[in-house]
Amino acid sequence: MSSSTRESATTELRPGGRLAKPTSMWQDAWTRLRRNRAAMFGFVFVVVLIVVAVFAPVLAPYPYDKVDFGAITQTPSREHLLGTDSLGRDVLSRLIYGARVSLSVSVVAELVILLIGVPVGMISAYYGGWIDMMIQRVVDVLYAFPSLLLIIVIMTYLKAALKVAQGPIAGMVSTINNATGGLVGVFLALALVFWLTVSRLVRGEVLAIKERQYIEAARCIGVSNRRIILRHILPNTLAPVVIAATFGIPSVISMEAGLSFLGLGVEPPMPSWGMMISEGVQNIRSHPHLLIASGVLLSLTLLAFNFLGDGLRDAMDPWMKN
Amino acid sequence: MGRYLIRRLLLLVPSMLVVFTITFFLMHATPGGPWARTGRPLPKAVIENLNARYGLDKPLWEQYTSFLVGIVTRGDFGPSYSRYGRDVKDILVDFFPVSLKLGAVAMVLALVLGLSLGVLSAVKHNTWMDYVSMFLGIVGVSVPSYVVATIMIIVFAITMRWVPTGGWDGILSRRILIPAIALSLRPMALLARYTRSSVLDVLRRDYVRTARAKGLPERLVLARHAVRNAMIPIATVAGITFANVVTGSFFVESVTKVPGIGRYFVSSVSARDYPVIMGTTLLYAAIVMVMNLIVDVVYVFLDPRVRYN
Amino acid sequence: MTRRAYVSWIALLVLALLAGCAGPAPTATVKPQPTKAPPTGAPQPTNTSPPPAPTETPVPEPKAFRYSAVEPDSLDPAKGGSGFQDFQNLYEALVDTQSKGEEIKPLAAESFEQSADGLTWTFKLREGLKWSDGAPVVAEDYRYAWLRQLDPAEASYAPDMFYAIKNAKAFNQGEITDANEVGIQAPDDRTLVVTLEAPAPFWIWHVGNTDYFPVRKDIIEKYGDKWMEAGNHVGNGPYMLAEWKHDQKLVFVKNPNYEGPWKDTRHIDRIEITVVQDSQTQGLPAYEADEVDMAVVPATELDRVQSDDVLGTQWSLTDIAGATLLLFDTKNPPTDDVRVRQALAMAIDRETLANQVFKGAYPPATSFSPPSLFSYESSSFLGYSPQKAQQLLADAGYPDGQGFPVLDFTYWSIWRGPLTAQALQAMWKENLGIDVTLNPLDPQAMRDYRMSRETEPFNIYYALQWADIPDPSTWHNSQLDPDQNVRHTRYDNPEYVQLIRGALNETDSAKRTVMYQQAEAFVNQEVPMLTLLQEAIVKVVKLYVKNFDEVTTTIGQMTRVAQPPGLDIVR
């Protein structure tokens, strides 16, 4: 429903004459986003986080797996600004590296989600008929699975399967998986469960768009299906997809935290925030600093993504234009 | 409408069969099997005896058919592998009602608070009230429920001694407070968010503008036009959330010692208790599918434009 | 709707919630016993003054002993009550092997004798023993229970605990189908005669274990798999099952028909067990809220408990005859080289692992066997010595760890597994300059991994072993004999194998000790397996609980409430 006037934003349809620089929908959105303080907080926080994650080796005062048996579960001090964990590792450094893990889990998983969800939703809606029927039945059935259960089973299966995978592609995936402490398994398990929502969303959008006159016009003049999808439909579904992805990232991050609580997250000594939180919960009464550091950071991050998502939605919503 | 309902109900059968099949092969493909005990490494012969007793030594397709036939003809999921002498049916009958009751209480909390916060922040869009209520809502999503439950136990059960540290005595007992609140935070936040955006969306519509223009009091604009129309998307979210909440949360139930089905969802997987995995999965799937159906039916009442032939 | 309306709506809700908090707690569900046992989570010990109404006649309050445990898998001795040996209170074995002290005491049997050749044991049951339903306890009940353990169709969890008995193994593996050929006979109601394959001096220790409890044939046949439910269950122990609300609580009460030797040491009237998901971490919060009288302290909480004003006076650490172990594949490079295994062993700083990482909750190992087994021999043990470890690794062809392959280290992803694995990884890296990949598996997948090692090579894996009986055979023969099919280190030093096989049935106990200690030296020196930390358990017990230490068993630290002098609560 919110896509109804979106095509007016595409510059080529705009009648000529006015020399003022035409503003694209994205520029409009950015202008509006900048005015939203909460969203800007989210945006800045996320950018800072990405920078921290990318430059983790430079920023972290210690390696994430530097064990120091002489300094176990110390409270914050000058040497260890956020204290140390049960193996004397620097909590700050682990949080910084954990940002890498948590962000890459969420971003990669989200990308995989989009890679599956967008085409499936689009094909389902655009072609309709029995293709749509079939796909929707599959989606319905998968939707009915308890997601946590599905993730656990997939994780347990993938963990074992990826460990021993052979062959050119599977072997490479397995190597990456082992090198990153089982991250690939986490990506895949989460993606395989969460693509459903995206595909439904995209299907809904496309169903609305494909009835529009300009699509009909394009079809009349013999534009190929592929071109219609890529040139006319895909760009118009981008905004809701971007919003969904922004909201999807925090749920992937917290799902990873849940997996860590069950011992199914990334493998030690690789840190993830989820794992640090579950260690923190175990030590909550003796060493509360462990939970406070990771818990606050996780909450702030989720908060930032949510603010950003809310802001994006408000900014991209054409009803807001006035 | 009647024919539509019948068709949807009939569709449940093949869907459940697919759920059954996927679950069956997925759980058998997962490495490890039942019978492991952490205390003592079992000799191979013991495991083989156990496999034979429970028919796990037969070919997979044979296990598949006999399992399916047992469920369809007798409604019998068989005995639990990890809890000797307990049938899957006993487990579902004992523990699903607990999760259902706890979930219902949590859901009521979530609906009341979530809808209030959502409408409040939509009406007071971009004011401090909007920010505060959205902040509360987002905090609800961002803090993992097991952290919330753990902290509540420490504060309210150990330090303050207001409530016991856990357990279950039905919905009228004080014991329900910590699990119900912990369980309601996430759906509450979700509902608040969806309500906010849905109401915001509606408030910008022309008919709302018209209503305001003709001088209708703001209270009536909200009650007659905005909230009712905003309910349509919210119903979807609430339906799915409800299905999620009443089937229990492993995290909340295990931290607060509530004997619910959510605990079994997870512990049956880690114990490779195949019949219990199957029982709980099918139960969950059935609830989700039925909830979807109910949501679709409720649409008809909420939105006069929707009609099923 | 106005803002005010909303505010009042929310205020109302908050009030309702608070009212819910402050309202009276509904009384617990009605139970058959009209006793006024304090509901879990009720009164605090500080205000135990006169209980409810002063008008009532002063009836002594029933004494309840309360603690938390995980839901039992079963209360059937044949179906592995693993993690829940507390059902010890519901049954009575023939002999008592688990109270502190070296000797075996009679229990349900008033006497037990071994024949001169060591092959035959004769048990004489006490007179007048009864089951909880009043039926007499007869020798056949024990015979039935033991044969049931061996029946392959029953698929019990511990048939191998009976293999020392004549023809037991053959019967269990289907080579013999006639149960009468198994060496367990009950010539009359009070006599049980057991014939062994060999003089197995360790066998009698098994008779005191849960596996050897009697069960009632008629009850099992009547109720089938449901025979252990409250109301159906019949036991011969000092206590009986009164209530079992699955995944919530178990209640044991005094067995009115019990006529055994511990009849008068039952000071406790009720045993109330709250079921938790994780007995390690969920007991302490309930203990601090005064909901239970005893709890396990996890290592993560030990610091706080020790320094706490109240808890600091209530905790104690007791050793368990068990340990965490590392296994090496002695036929797969590089761990096929004994110097590599020695280097890996000597690079482990157990003191640090035990006292820093685990806060002193588990004592460091000082030999392969736990100190409670008489094979324990620490002089041959390879202790922590980074220099020697580096030298050994260099001798093996890997100076400073150069060229050393990356080893795979497989372990449980639960409990102490992750911390132990990460600590060892760091120690090997620091002391030897070598890398290991960590491979966590959940317990069920770990079982598959362990079993598939029979044919597949490995590097190192982590295991946990408990000594079922205080005899070295449970440590050496059951883990390192090449014929056992449980742990596959492929260690086959013929001298060692000869020693443990000879010691197994050696009747001269002095000679037997020497043989096992010689065997121990082989393991300590050649390191097919090594012991990391001893098992131990830290518990907090309320000060009003008396004799707690005296009634805990040597194996698994279970509480046998009626064991003399008997647990008591004196407020």
Side-chain angles (χ1 to χ4, degrees):
Chain A
M1 60 185 105
S2 57
S3 57
S4 50
T5 57
R6 195 153 298 136
E7 67 266 32
S8 67
T10 40
T11 43
E12 63 242 32
L13 290 179
R14 191 157 287 194
R18 295 274 290 276
L19 277 176
K21 213 170 144 200
T23 54
S24 79
M25 182 190 92
W26 299 98
Q27 281 167 323
D28 284 352
W30 173 240
T31 317
R32 276 196 295 269
L33 188 67
R34 278 215 320 232
R35 272 188 249 128
N36 183 337
R37 263 178 293 167
M40 279 322 282
F41 155 76
F43 181 75
V44 171
F45 193 94
V46 169
V47 169
V48 169
L49 210 58
I50 292 171
V51 170
V52 166
V54 170
F55 294 103
V58 184
L59 294 171
Y62 299 87
Y64 65 87
D65 56 351
K66 176 80 186 84
V67 170
D68 182 354
F69 293 114
I72 281 174
T73 51
Q74 284 185 349
T75 44
S77 65
R78 198 164 299 162
E79 292 82 54
H80 301 283
L81 289 176
L82 293 176
T84 59
D85 72 358
S86 316
L87 286 171
R89 296 173 297 202
D90 184 53
V91 171
L92 177 62
S93 307
R94 285 178 69 74
L95 281 175
I96 291 174
Y97 276 95
R100 250 184 185 191
V101 173
S102 292
L103 278 188
S104 55
V105 164
S106 50
V107 171
V108 177
E110 199 56 47
L111 281 179
V112 181
I113 289 168
L114 296 183
L115 277 178
I116 307 175
V118 173
V120 169
M122 210 166 273
I123 288 168
S124 182
Y126 186 76
Y127 289 100
W130 68 271
I131 297 184
D132 188 30
M133 235 328 250
M134 294 278 291
I135 293 179
Q136 284 318 302
R137 288 289 78 78
V138 172
V139 169
D140 275 352
V141 166
L142 289 179
Y143 227 81
F145 271 99
S147 55
L148 183 62
L149 196 68
L150 202 59
I151 291 177
I152 293 169
V153 175
I154 295 176
M155 268 311 284
T156 321
Y157 174 70
L158 280 178
K159 269 201 159 190
L162 283 175
K163 278 268 152 57
V164 293
Q166 306 268 320
I169 295 172
M172 201 179 75
V173 173
S174 155
T175 317
I176 298 174
N177 186 51
N178 292 341
T180 52
L183 270 184
V184 177
V186 183
F187 296 156
L188 289 177
L190 292 173
L192 284 176
V193 173
F194 284 122
W195 66 271
L196 299 166
T197 326
V198 172
S199 90
R200 281 200 162 173
L201 177 81
V202 171
R203 176 173 174 271
E205 290 291 325
V206 174
L207 277 181
I209 295 169
K210 84 169 187 181
E211 300 304 322
R212 303 249 176 272
Q213 282 169 352
Y214 68 96
I215 301 288
E216 220 164 293
R219 212 178 283 148
C220 284
I221 59 171
V223 179
S224 70
N225 278 340
R226 215 183 97 128
R227 201 176 151 76
I228 291 179
I229 292 181
L230 289 181
R231 289 283 307 162
H232 299 289
I233 295 185
L234 186 64
N236 281 313
T237 55
L238 267 183
V241 165
V242 166
I243 294 166
T246 318
F247 284 129
I249 284 177
S251 48
V252 172
I253 293 182
S254 51
M255 205 68 202
E256 195 275 331
L259 283 182
S260 292
F261 185 74
L262 295 171
L264 286 170
V266 293
E267 288 166 8
M270 184 70 73
S272 81
W273 293 348
M275 179 185 284
M276 295 178 73
I277 286 181
S278 88
E279 279 169 13
V281 169
Q282 286 165 29
N283 288 286
I284 184 167
R285 308 201 57 202
S286 322
H287 311 290
H289 70 273
L290 291 176
L291 179 64
I292 293 170
S294 50
V296 167
L297 189 55
L298 179 87
S299 301
L300 278 179
T301 306
L302 300 190
L303 204 63
F305 272 106
N306 276 305
F307 277 153
L308 184 58
D310 274 338
L312 278 178
R313 195 198 21 234
D314 289 350
M316 288 180 185
D317 190 339
W319 288 98
M320 289 273 287
K321 269 209 162 156
N322 44 352
Chain B
M1 184 75 193
R3 275 176 60 194
Y4 172 78
L5 260 179
I6 291 169
R7 213 184 60 206
R8 283 287 299 266
L9 285 172
L10 283 179
L11 257 176
L12 285 182
V13 176
S15 302
M16 292 299 278
L17 186 68
V18 175
V19 172
F20 175 86
T21 310
I22 295 178
T23 310
F24 183 87
F25 289 103
L26 207 55
M27 72 192 184
H28 278 276
T30 308
W35 332 123
R37 291 293 192 272
T38 43
R40 190 174 91 89
L42 289 181
K44 206 173 169 185
V46 170
I47 291 167
E48 280 164 3
N49 278 344
L50 281 160
N51 282 342
R53 184 181 159 101
Y54 289 92
L56 289 174
D57 53 343
K58 300 205 180 79
L60 210 54
W61 64 267
E62 207 179 313
Q63 293 183 43
Y64 175 83
T65 30
S66 62
F67 199 178
L68 188 58
V69 166
I71 293 176
V72 172
T73 57
R74 285 168 281 134
D76 179 14
F77 288 87
S80 159
Y81 291 168
S82 59
R83 298 287 164 76
Y84 177 71
R86 302 272 291 152
D87 288 338
V88 175
K89 233 187 299 176
D90 301 339
I91 289 172
L92 296 186
V93 166
D94 276 7
F95 304 130
F96 177 56
V98 173
S99 290
L100 186 66
K101 287 177 198 159
L102 174 62
V105 172
M107 198 63 201
V108 170
L109 273 181
L111 275 173
V112 171
L113 283 174
L115 294 186
S116 316
L117 283 178
V119 175
L120 186 67
S121 52
V123 174
K124 306 284 166 193
H125 187 45
N126 282 341
T127 64
W128 65 270
M129 288 192 77
D130 181 21
Y131 292 135
V132 168
S133 55
M134 275 306 97
F135 183 80
L136 284 179
I138 292 169
V139 167
V141 189
S142 354
V143 186
S145 55
Y146 56 88
V147 176
V148 176
T150 310
I151 292 175
M152 284 205 288
I153 288 174
I154 292 173
V155 174
F156 297 117
I158 301 178
T159 312
M160 310 273 204
R161 305 268 176 118
W162 287 353
V163 285
T165 56
W168 177 253
D169 263 342
I171 57 170
L172 292 177
S173 149
R174 284 186 296 177
R175 287 178 200 275
I176 201 174
L177 282 173
I178 291 179
I181 293 173
L183 195 57
S184 69
L185 282 182
R186 210 182 148 75
M188 180 200 79
L190 270 179
L191 284 169
R193 273 256 296 288
Y194 275 93
T195 309
R196 174 179 176 267
S197 63
S198 185
V199 172
L200 272 182
D201 196 41
V202 173
L203 283 178
R204 293 186 206 117
R205 298 279 163 152
D206 291 339
Y207 59 82
V208 172
R209 204 175 303 160
T210 314
R212 277 180 183 153
K214 71 179 186 190
L216 207 64
E218 188 65 18
R219 190 164 48 86
L220 289 180
V221 173
L222 275 176
R224 287 210 195 133
H225 297 278
V227 173
R228 186 182 157 144
N229 282 301
M231 284 309 288
I232 299 166
I234 296 169
T236 320
V237 180
I240 298 303
T241 314
F242 183 76
N244 264 314
V245 168
V246 297
T247 44
S249 152
F250 168 79
F251 301 113
V252 171
E253 287 177 2
S254 44
V255 172
T256 59
K257 296 182 257 181
V258 170
I261 203 74
R263 240 155 70 165
Y264 267 91
F265 267 144
V266 174
S267 60
S268 66
V269 178
S270 32
R272 309 292 191 273
D273 193 340
Y274 300 144
V276 179
I277 298 178
M278 187 58 85
T280 44
T281 307
L282 288 184
L283 176 78
Y284 183 94
I287 291 172
V288 172
M289 288 176 185
V290 170
M291 277 317 294
N292 269 331
L293 182 56
I294 292 176
V295 166
D296 287 351
V297 172
V298 168
Y299 270 161
V300 178
F301 296 100
L302 285 177
D303 188 347
R305 285 170 302 178
V306 176
R307 250 185 217 112
Y308 303 111
N309 48 339
Chain C
M1 225 177 269
T2 59
R3 177 165 133 199
R4 199 180 305 147
Y6 272 102
V7 171
S8 47
W9 188 1
I10 291 168
L12 204 70
L13 198 96
V14 171
L15 274 179
L17 275 179
L18 288 178
C21 294
T27 43
T29 41
V30 185
K31 292 176 202 103
Q33 299 82 16
T35 51
K36 271 176 241 70
T40 22
Q44 302 166 20
T46 41
N47 54 6
T48 43
S49 38
T55 47
E56 272 182 35
T57 45
V59 184
E61 201 182 326
K63 289 177 179 172
F65 178 56
R66 306 163 303 168
Y67 59 98
S68 316
V70 291
E71 167 85 355
D73 296 331
S74 106
L75 297 178
D76 183 331
K79 305 293 174 181
S82 157
F84 192 80
Q85 299 207 357
D86 308 68
F87 74 117
Q88 297 241 15
N89 292 299
L90 301 180
Y91 297 92
E92 188 165 78
L94 287 173
V95 293
D96 175 16
T97 56
Q98 301 204 10
S99 43
K100 306 224 158 74
E102 298 271 300
E103 94 239 55
I104 300 174
K105 293 169 216 142
L107 198 54
E110 63 185 17
S111 70
F112 54 102
E113 280 165 19
Q114 190 177 19
S115 65
D117 61 0
L119 288 176
T120 310
W121 282 89
T122 308
F123 299 88
K124 203 85 186 156
L125 261 67
R126 280 176 207 272
E127 221 173 330
L129 292 181
K130 285 191 205 130
W131 289 90
S132 54
D133 63 349
V137 177
V138 293
E140 180 59 31
D141 293 329
Y142 285 90
R143 179 172 181 267
Y144 167 74
W146 299 2
L147 288 173
R148 181 168 173 263
Q149 290 271 17
L150 286 166
D151 184 352
E154 274 297 331
S156 78
Y157 275 83
D160 49 321
M161 298 297 169
F162 293 79
Y163 282 179
I165 298 171
K166 192 172 168 222
N167 287 336
K169 191 174 182 182
F171 178 65
N172 182 239
Q173 301 194 336
E175 291 152 26
I176 293 177
T177 48
D178 183 5
N180 290 323
E181 288 182 48
V182 180
I184 309 169
Q185 303 300 334
D188 65 63
D189 277 355
R190 289 182 53 210
T191 314
L192 191 74
V193 180
V194 176
T195 320
L196 302 180
E197 291 273 3
F202 58 89
W203 176 77
I204 187 68
W205 289 101
H206 280 299
V207 182
N209 278 359
T210 58
D211 310 317
Y212 279 71
F213 284 152
V215 290
R216 275 275 289 283
K217 189 181 181 189
D218 55 332
I219 298 289
I220 293 177
E221 282 170 356
K222 184 170 167 195
Y223 297 111
D225 281 353
K226 302 258 180 252
W227 79 272
M228 302 161 305
E229 300 290 331
N232 301 351
H233 184 266
V234 171
N236 69 330
Y239 288 85
M240 58 184 249
L241 181 64
E243 190 185 347
W244 185 1
K245 265 170 115 178
H246 287 281
D247 277 82
Q248 295 189 53
K249 70 190 288 197
L250 289 101
V251 178
F252 301 164
V253 297
K254 272 185 187 172
N255 170 3
N257 289 306
Y258 178 72
E259 294 295 337
W262 293 354
K263 189 178 178 185
D264 299 324
T265 47
R266 294 180 295 174
H267 312 302
I268 299 293
D269 299 290
R270 290 163 68 83
I271 305 171
E272 297 182 357
I273 301 162
T274 309
V275 176
V276 293
Q277 182 83 1
D278 179 354
S279 59
Q280 289 283 311
T281 58
Q282 289 187 314
L284 193 59
Y287 181 87
E288 288 181 71
D290 291 326
E291 292 168 14
V292 293
D293 304 319
M294 178 258 285
V296 176
V297 178
T300 50
E301 297 269 38
L302 199 51
D303 277 351
R304 182 175 68 85
V305 166
Q306 284 168 337
S307 57
D308 187 281
D309 288 344
V310 180
L311 300 175
T313 60
Q314 301 175 356
W315 73 277
S316 61
L317 181 144
T318 25
D319 293 329
I320 294 177
T324 45
L325 308 158
L326 293 187
L327 283 87
F328 300 100
D329 189 335
T330 60
K331 294 285 182 277
N332 182 34
T335 47
D336 59 337
D337 187 331
V338 66
R339 290 167 300 189
V340 169
R341 300 199 298 269
Q342 287 168 335
L344 289 169
M346 296 180 86
I348 298 172
D349 181 358
R350 290 181 180 78
E351 289 288 339
T352 294
L353 187 64
N355 297 326
Q356 302 298 319
V357 178
F358 291 115
K359 319 279 184 195
Y362 310 97
T366 44
S367 182
F368 173 54
S369 300
S372 58
L373 300 182
F374 57 78
S375 51
Y376 174 82
E377 201 278 306
S378 60
S379 69
S380 54
F381 182 66
L382 301 180
Y384 178 52
S385 170
Q387 292 78 25
K388 280 189 193 158
Q390 283 157 12
Q391 186 57 48
L392 281 160
L393 200 66
D395 293 347
Y398 310 101
D400 298 325
Q402 282 163 17
F404 196 76
V406 176
L407 298 187
D408 176 278
F409 179 24
T410 304
Y411 62 96
W412 275 334
S413 58
I414 56 163
W415 296 353
R416 279 158 277 161
L419 264 189
T420 309
Q422 293 176 77
L424 292 181
Q425 187 187 39
M427 287 174 186
W428 283 328
K429 178 80 190 165
E430 191 177 318
N431 295 332
L432 298 175
I434 62 168
D435 288 303
V436 295
T437 329
L438 302 183
N439 178 24
L441 293 176
D442 71 289
Q444 248 64 13
M446 189 76 203
R447 186 209 72 180
D448 265 20
Y449 179 86
R450 170 176 66 75
M451 283 173 50
S452 58
R453 293 316 100 188
E454 186 182 355
T455 50
E456 288 171 42
F458 67 99
N459 296 134
I460 309 166
Y461 81 80
Y462 174 81
L464 173 65
Q465 178 87 8
W466 280 315
D468 302 300
I469 51 172
D471 186 273
S473 60
T474 185
W475 212 254
H476 282 271
N477 301 67
S478 62
Q479 296 197 94
L480 282 163
D481 187 304
D483 281 351
Q484 51 79 28
N485 198 5
V486 175
R487 303 218 185 275
H488 305 103
T489 58
R490 292 175 252 281
Y491 180 62
D492 56 1
N493 184 332
E495 281 181 80
Y496 172 76
V497 175
Q498 202 189 345
L499 271 171
I500 57 166
R501 286 188 180 164
L504 187 65
N505 290 313
E506 173 60 55
T507 45
D508 180 339
S509 70
K511 234 168 131 186
R512 196 158 179 259
T513 306
V514 172
M515 287 168 90
Y516 269 123
Q517 289 187 347
Q518 286 172 346
E520 180 104 344
F522 275 96
V523 184
N524 279 341
Q525 289 290 316
E526 298 191 343
V527 210
M529 297 174 75
L530 65 83
T531 308
L532 284 173
L533 301 181
Q534 304 298 339
E535 277 292 280
I537 195 161
V538 179
K539 281 179 175 167
V540 276
V541 183
K542 297 282 183 194
L543 295 176
Y544 51 75
V545 176
K546 305 295 172 202
N547 303 335
F548 179 78
D549 195 39
E550 285 87 338
V551 306
T552 48
T553 65
T554 53
I555 298 171
Q557 290 301 325
M558 296 301 155
T559 313
R560 291 195 297 186
V561 170
Q563 175 184 316
L567 190 85
D568 202 355
I569 288 181
V570 183
R571 290 178 193 263

